[in-house]
Amino acid sequence: MTSPVPKSAIDSATELRHCMVATIRLLAHNKIHQPPGNLHRRISFADGTVARVYRETVVDVESVVEPVTLIVGFRLRGVGGNKIAHTVFRLESLLNTPLFVGFKGFVSKLWMAHDNNNLYRGVYDWDGYDNADAYARALWWPLMVVSERASIKYQIIPGVGRDSMLADPDVSPDGGQWWRPVHVE
């Protein structure tokens, strides 16, 4: 899928509220982490762009039953090549964590800095295709506030977790120029 079909604003707001409550519980039990192991890794994508990991967020989970990789892309509105604005966004984005870690099925996220086309990506590990899809559709509303609407897109790759896909990009389906990783440094 290249562009999400958003849920209604009311449904999205309800899901985001539930997510924030779940996030508070996760924080209270020290189940959210930001490990440094993937920081500064560079991922090359099939469209010829390269993006760098600037943060990783992981939630403690016992097991993953239905691994899927979710890749979300968006371009910030009015930022273009403004380095200061990109830096401010990356710093501020930590405050967005409550908007996703409490969603059912969330496992981890690599936060990717903007590429040479100013496209930001989130490369996620999810448990369950439907869970990843529900999140991506609810995410449209908060992204719409700060992003060029036409740039908001996502792709779900079923049957393969994020780390497996990054270790062997050939496990993901061909195509998908903007979302398909082809090389990881």
Side-chain angles (χ1 to χ4, degrees), residues 67-158:
V68 298
T69 299
L70 167 67
I71 302 177
V72 173
F74 62 93
R75 194 170 288 106
L76 292 174
R77 184 180 311 125
V79 172
N82 184 322
K83 290 182 181 184
I84 293 172
H86 283 293
T87 299
V88 169
F89 173 76
R90 287 192 302 271
L91 292 171
E92 173 279 329
S93 66
L94 182 61
L95 301 175
N96 298 328
T97 302
L99 296 177
F100 64 86
V101 297
F103 265 87
K104 182 179 178 185
F106 174 81
V107 177
S108 67
K109 175 184 180 180
L110 294 179
W111 303 65
M112 307 300 297
H114 65 288
D115 63 21
N116 48 322
N117 291 328
N118 294 319
L119 184 73
Y120 281 87
R121 291 179 184 87
V123 182
Y124 298 80
D125 230 347
W126 281 87
D127 188 357
Y129 184 98
D130 291 341
N131 294 333
D133 185 62
Y135 163 72
R137 293 180 35 193
L139 178 67
W140 189 89
W141 288 99
L143 280 179
M144 186 259 320
V145 173
V146 297
S147 303
E148 298 171 4
R149 287 185 189 183
S151 75
I152 303 169
K153 49 194 169 186
Y154 72 99
Q155 181 67 41
I156 301 173
I157 301 96

